[in-house]
Amino acid sequence: MERARLADIAAQAGVSEATVSRVLNGKAGVSANTREAVLAALDLLGYERPVRLRARSAGLIGLITPELSNPVFPAFAQVIERVLTRVGYTPVLCTQTPGGSTEDELTEALVDRGVNGIIFVSGLHADSTADMNRYVKLAGRGVPFVMINGYTEKVSAPFVSTDDRAAMRLAVTHLVELGHERIGLAVGPRRFVPVLRKIEGFVQHMRTLLPLSAEAAEGLVAHSLFTVEGGQAAAHALIDRGCTAIICASDLMALGAVRAGRQRGLTVPAELSVVGYDDSPLIVFTDPPLTTLRQPVEAMGQAAVNALLEEVGGTPAPHAEFVFLPELVVRGSTGAAPA
């Protein structure tokens, strides 16, 4: 490898050129951490690893996610892939796209390729109307799997979820403290488990924190799609119902709600407060920066991989749900209720 490249890699890894040379030539006397730093520098700078430094894979693990247009899904994929790579597995990312491959087709393709296990992110397991037999059959074929976000009693597998009810408690409490009384909830279709849980939490905390009946609180829920356009449509409906604050089921929906407010001539947050959900990367840079409920993606991804590897290693999977607490991140899109 020419001198210039050695110097680049050494600078990136924060080590000497001699050390880089030792790692690349497979010489002894380099600590594991230093070796990792040099290989990471190599990858970051886009250089190919010498053949002898390519790790032998412990096996393939499939990761099936919904479309990648919502930045929370690439965030999950990145964490899971990093954790898997660190323990020697090769991640295979499969994305469902409308009109493209279905979850069942992707699962079949992964099983045909002899994957050691599969992680499903917000898949059909989260749809309360879907047939759960597909997972029972998958387990019957001896393929270990773990589910992220969406729980069902019908499938014996580990589930990893964000606590949607606790998220609503945090959001409603925050908005009530700011003086809001007409608070709306913009969510996706009712058939999804995380949606049902958000509605439950929302209704419960609107009843306890405001003198509202369950029926009145249910009347402040608008269903739409989990997209910017969906958030926009739901927000228009909620503004028509007199809402001064809107909690959204995703950051993309929240961006739509901000847009709807502006279309109605309302300034955010002076006349309309908006709360998102996920804390996707880039959300900090919106205008105004979005107050949102952060999913602990890092911890959830790690837990999903740990649970899967236990199964791959032969320990029977607990039929348990590991529930992670979200965090309210207050930024510029929420403010005092308009007088």
Side-chain angles (χ1 to χ4, degrees):
M1 185 173 283
E2 70 263 23
R3 196 65 202 276
R5 286 212 283 185
L6 276 183
D8 283 351
I9 297 162
Q12 177 70 40
V15 298
S16 70
E17 288 177 40
T19 300
V20 173
S21 179
R22 292 184 80 83
V23 171
L24 297 181
N25 293 310
K27 296 266 174 24
V30 182
S31 76
N33 284 352
T34 303
R35 186 174 175 283
E36 245 173 64
V38 170
L39 293 179
L42 208 64
D43 298 343
L44 270 172
L45 295 169
Y47 293 132
E48 211 176 333
R49 289 186 182 192
V51 176
R52 77 172 83 77
L53 293 180
R54 292 176 202 163
R56 270 190 66 76
S57 173
L60 302 178
I61 301 285
L63 172 59
I64 301 182
T65 70
E67 86 299 329
L68 297 177
S69 48
N70 179 343
V72 79
F73 297 129
F76 268 117
Q78 226 166 356
V79 167
I80 291 165
E81 292 190 335
R82 191 176 66 236
V83 177
L84 283 170
T85 307
R86 205 184 292 142
V87 290
Y89 282 89
T90 304
V92 182
L93 176 62
C94 299
T95 307
Q96 298 174 65
T97 46
S101 298
T102 64
E103 182 182 308
D104 289 339
E105 287 165 354
L106 294 172
T107 302
E108 203 50 49
L110 287 170
V111 174
D112 285 348
R113 279 165 185 72
V115 291
N116 294 66
I118 302 176
I119 297 175
F120 294 90
V121 182
S122 301
L124 289 168
H125 65 274
D127 185 339
S128 60
T129 62
D131 179 4
M132 295 300 153
N133 259 338
R134 51 173 53 85
Y135 301 116
V136 177
K137 284 184 191 144
L138 185 61
R141 293 165 77 177
V143 181
F145 55 89
V146 171
M147 315 293 209
I148 294 181
N149 280 338
Y151 176 75
T152 171
E153 285 178 358
K154 296 174 185 156
V155 179
S156 181
F159 290 80
V160 174
S161 311
T162 303
D163 191 334
D164 292 296
R165 298 183 189 92
M168 292 303 106
R169 184 189 73 237
L170 293 169
V172 173
T173 304
H174 171 62
L175 293 168
V176 168
E177 282 170 357
L178 289 169
H180 294 275
E181 289 173 6
R182 297 287 292 174
I183 300 167
L185 175 64
V187 283
R190 202 181 175 97
R191 63 180 196 272
F192 294 111
V193 173
V195 170
L196 292 167
R197 288 176 169 185
K198 285 183 179 80
I199 294 170
E200 253 174 60
F202 175 77
V203 170
Q204 182 192 342
H205 297 296
M206 289 289 280
R207 288 182 66 188
T208 52
L209 296 166
L210 294 166
L212 272 191
S213 68
E215 205 177 346
E218 285 266 4
L220 296 171
V221 177
H223 292 278
S224 190
L225 297 174
F226 283 108
T227 59
V228 173
E229 296 73 20
Q232 194 174 337
H236 276 301
L238 292 169
I239 292 166
D240 287 341
R241 292 175 211 169
C243 291
T244 59
I246 299 174
I247 302 165
C248 299
S250 77
D251 289 337
L252 291 183
M253 290 185 88
L255 296 181
V258 171
R259 188 195 276 178
R262 289 192 176 142
Q263 285 172 336
R264 303 289 280 263
L266 303 171
T267 51
V268 177
E271 296 165 292
L272 179 70
S273 284
V274 176
V275 178
Y277 196 100
D278 288 335
D279 198 27
S280 327
L282 300 179
I283 271 321
V284 186
F285 307 110
T286 57
D287 176 31
L290 201 58
T291 293
T292 189
L293 293 148
R294 175 184 292 161
Q295 290 203 63
V297 169
E298 189 76 37
M300 290 170 72
Q302 180 78 57
V305 173
N306 290 351
L308 185 68
L309 294 184
E310 285 274 295
E311 281 188 86
V312 170
T315 310
H319 182 203
E321 185 178 22
F322 302 96
V323 180
F324 288 75
L325 276 179
E327 181 189 344
L328 178 72
V329 184
V330 178
R331 299 197 184 101
S333 65
T334 47

